[in-house]
Amino acid sequence: MRHHHTCSRAHQVGALLLVAATFLLTRLFDRLLLDASSSSSPSFPLSIARPASSSADLRIYVYSEDEIQGLRALLRGRDGTVAAATCLKGQWGTQVKIHQLLLKSRFRTFNKDQANLFFVPSYVKCVRMTGALNDKEINQTYVKVLSQMPYFRRSGGRDHIFVFPSGAGAHLFRSWATFLNRSIILTPEGDRTDKRGTSAFNTWKDIIIPGNVDDSMVKSDARAVQPIPLRKRKYLANFLGRAQGKAGRLQLVKLAKQYPDKLESPELKLSGPNKLGRIDYFKHLRNAKFCLAPRGESSWTLRFYESFFVECVPVILSDEVELPFQNVIDYSEISIKWPSSRIGPELFEYLEAIPDERIEEMIGRGREIRCMWVYAVDTEPCSAMSSILSELQRKVRRFHQSPETFWLHNRSIVNRDLVEFHSWRTPVPLP
C-alpha cells in the first residue's frame, strides 16, 4: 500500500523559515569575513610592482651614444664636455640613473630584433642647464637622431622610451607633439598646462617616475639625517622652499609669520654664507609632523618624496599632481592631499586635530613603500627601477605598426615603397 504524505501549512511555514535562516546566516558569515579582511590592514603588495623574472617577457635595447649621430650631443653637449657625473646631481639625476641602471639590467638585450622596447638616452635637462645645448639645438638634434632610427619609424615610436626628468617634461624637446606623441615618456611631471597650451603627459602611454632624492638620504644603513620621535618635533608643519611668486607658496610664507609656533618656513638662501646645506635642509624637514608640498613652477615637487625619508607626513597642496605607481600604492594611506584653494588657518586646524596615533600609522605605511623611490638595480626586491620596469612590461606589444608600416603575405614588414624593413635607409622620413 502506498502512503501519501500531505504537506500541511505547518510544513510550508517551517520550510520558509529554514530558507530565511539560511539566507541570513550566509549574509552574516560573508560580513564577518569582509570585516576581518579589512581590519587586518594588509601591507602594500610590493611584489606586484616587480617585473616578471624571465627576461623573455621584457627585452629592452639601449641605444649607444656612438651608434646614432647626434645622440652624444644629447648626452654630453655640443662639445662633448659634460660628464655624466655632473648630470647625476640634483633632482633631475633620474635621467642618468635610469640610463645607467638599464645598461646593467637583466632585461637588457643587445639584439634589436629581439627587443620589444627601445631606450633612447639623453641628458637634455642637464646639458641645457649647463649651457652645452640651447633649445634650438636640442630640437634640431632630436629630429636628426630620430631620423636615423628605422625601429622608431617601424612602430611610429610606440616602443621607444624617453626620460624627461624635470617639470618641463617633454617640452624640453619643442617638437615633441609631432615626433613623440606615441612614444613612452618617463617623467615626474603630469601637468604643465600653466605655461604651455597642452600637457605632454598622457596617462595611457606615459609613466610617472619618482624624483631623485639625495643619495645620502636613501641608504637605510647610513642615512645622513635620521628621523626624530614625533613628540620631540618642534613644529606642526613646515614648508622648506622658495616662494617663486606662486600663490600657494606666498600664502604659506605669510602664514608662517602669523603662526611661527606651528609652521616653519625659513627664507632659503641659494648662495652665500647663509646658504642652507643639504644636511641642514633635512634636519629642518624632520622637525615637523607634516611636510607641506605646494605647487611650484610645475605640479610635482621633490619635497613629497624627501618627506618619507625624514618620516613626516607629506601634505600635497598641488591639485594637478600625478603620483607614480598608483596600481600598487594607495596614497590615502601615506599622505594627505588638500585643496590649494583652501590654504589658510583651516588647514592648521585640520592637521592639529589628527591624532598622533594616526600620524604614526601613516608614517609606518610610508616606511613600507619608500623603497619604491630609490633608484637601485632591478634585482632589488623593491626599488623605483623594478617598479618602472613593471610598468614598462605592461606596455610590451607583440606586433609593431604605424601609418607608414605595411606587411605582406610572407610576414615581411615593408614601407610605402614596398622596401623590406631591414633594407630601409637612413635618414628615414619622419611625421
Side-chain angles (χ1 to χ4, degrees):
M1 179 181 293
R2 301 175 87 182
H3 297 280
H4 297 279
H5 298 282
T6 59
C7 183
S8 67
R9 185 169 182 80
H11 288 121
Q12 293 174 340
V13 172
L16 289 172
L17 288 173
L18 179 61
V19 171
T22 302
F23 174 77
L24 290 173
L25 286 171
T26 301
R27 292 291 300 273
L28 178 61
F29 184 67
D30 289 343
R31 172 54 59 186
L32 289 173
L33 285 177
L34 180 62
D35 291 344
S37 63
S38 61
S39 63
S40 61
S41 299
S43 298
F44 287 97
L46 297 179
S47 59
I48 296 177
R50 299 183 64 191
S53 58
S54 172
S55 59
D57 299 320
L58 180 63
R59 297 179 301 277
I60 301 176
Y61 181 86
V62 181
Y63 285 101
S64 167
E65 63 182 78
D66 297 322
E67 72 175 289
I68 303 291
Q69 188 177 5
L71 192 55
R72 182 175 178 82
L74 293 178
L75 290 161
R76 316 292 180 195
R78 70 178 74 85
D79 300 322
T81 56
V82 180
T86 301
C87 300
L88 190 60
K89 302 174 183 177
Q91 61 179 306
W92 306 303
T94 51
Q95 58 194 338
V96 181
K97 288 185 175 180
I98 292 175
H99 179 205
Q100 292 180 344
L101 289 168
L102 282 176
L103 289 176
K104 52 189 176 184
S105 171
R106 58 199 167 114
F107 297 101
R108 183 187 181 190
T109 180
F110 294 88
N111 188 331
K112 291 179 182 177
D113 287 327
Q114 292 181 358
N116 39 42
L117 292 174
F118 297 80
F119 181 78
V120 184
S122 75
Y123 307 157
V124 289
K125 176 62 179 179
C126 176
V127 297
R128 182 179 183 272
M129 292 284 289
T130 56
L133 282 181
N134 59 40
D135 289 344
K136 183 178 180 180
E137 289 172 320
I138 289 173
N139 201 74
Q140 293 174 338
T141 307
Y142 259 119
V143 174
K144 180 180 180 180
V145 165
L146 296 176
S147 70
Q148 298 173 72
M149 294 180 170
Y151 288 84
F152 181 88
R153 173 67 166 177
R154 181 185 67 171
S155 67
R158 288 182 176 129
D159 53 4
H160 279 58
I161 308 162
F162 299 81
V163 178
F164 292 99
S166 72
H171 289 287
L172 285 169
F173 174 26
R174 288 180 174 177
S175 299
W176 70 266
T178 300
F179 300 105
L180 303 187
N181 56 21
R182 297 178 181 88
S183 300
I184 302 168
I185 296 173
L186 309 185
T187 177
E189 179 55 61
D191 177 77
R192 194 61 195 271
T193 54
D194 57 332
K195 289 188 176 180
R196 317 284 179 172
T198 182
S199 173
F201 176 76
N202 184 320
T203 187
W204 302 113
K205 68 180 184 65
D206 301 328
I207 298 172
I208 293 292
I209 60 173
N212 182 43
V213 179
D214 192 273
D215 287 343
S216 66
M217 288 300 298
V218 301
K219 301 174 182 177
S220 57
D221 56 339
R223 194 163 290 129
V225 175
Q226 295 293 335
I228 58 178
L230 213 59
R231 66 181 184 280
K232 292 186 177 181
R233 302 187 189 188
K234 184 176 180 181
Y235 299 98
L236 172 69
N238 60 35
F239 163 57
L240 300 182
R242 293 174 296 138
Q244 298 178 307
K246 303 300 178 183
R249 293 182 171 219
L250 290 170
Q251 180 71 357
L252 289 176
V253 172
K254 179 180 177 182
L255 287 168
K257 295 176 181 178
Q258 291 180 276
Y259 305 95
D261 57 330
K262 295 181 181 179
L263 174 62
E264 181 190 26
S265 182
E267 183 180 354
L268 298 188
K269 301 291 185 181
L270 300 179
S271 60
N274 296 322
K275 178 182 177 181
L276 189 66
R278 295 303 297 167
I279 298 299
D280 289 333
Y281 169 83
F282 284 108
K283 285 182 177 180
H284 277 275
L285 201 64
R286 71 177 179 176
N287 206 20
K289 296 178 179 180
F290 300 96
C291 291
L292 307 184
R295 182 187 179 100
E297 288 294 337
S298 62
S299 62
W300 88 284
T301 169
L302 186 63
R303 199 166 298 103
F304 171 81
Y305 302 101
E306 293 172 333
S307 66
F308 289 91
F309 296 95
V310 295
E311 299 188 357
C312 59
V313 175
V315 180
I316 303 167
L317 303 171
S318 178
D319 301 350
E320 290 82 15
V321 71
E322 288 279 349
L323 299 172
F325 317 135
Q326 294 182 36
N327 57 320
V328 294
I329 298 177
D330 180 353
Y331 282 94
S332 67
E333 290 279 357
I334 59 175
S335 64
I336 294 168
K337 185 182 179 186
W338 184 265
S340 60
S341 58
R342 303 183 73 94
I343 296 176
E346 178 187 12
L347 171 60
F348 297 140
E349 293 172 7
Y350 164 74
L351 296 177
E352 282 184 308
I354 300 176
D356 281 358
E357 292 77 12
R358 176 55 184 156
I359 298 174
E360 293 281 12
E361 183 181 350
M362 296 178 77
I363 289 173
R365 286 292 199 180
R367 199 179 294 125
E368 291 179 28
I369 63 92
R370 66 188 178 193
C371 52
M372 297 176 74
W373 313 151
V374 180
Y375 285 87
V377 292
D378 55 49
T379 53
E380 288 287 327
C382 172
S383 72
M385 203 63 209
S386 294
S387 302
I388 291 169
L389 287 167
S390 177
E391 296 269 355
L392 287 171
Q393 191 170 47
R394 296 162 58 195
K395 299 182 182 298
V396 169
R397 296 166 176 255
R398 183 176 179 180
F399 192 71
H400 307 280
Q401 74 161 92
S402 75
E404 296 301 321
T405 302
F406 305 86
W407 53 92
L408 305 179
H409 73 286
N410 59 358
R411 301 178 62 191
S412 61
I413 304 298
V414 298
N415 63 13
R416 191 172 293 276
D417 296 322
L418 302 184
V419 177
E420 199 273 333
F421 171 67
H422 285 287
S423 297
W424 290 5
R425 294 184 178 181
T426 58
V428 292
L430 294 172

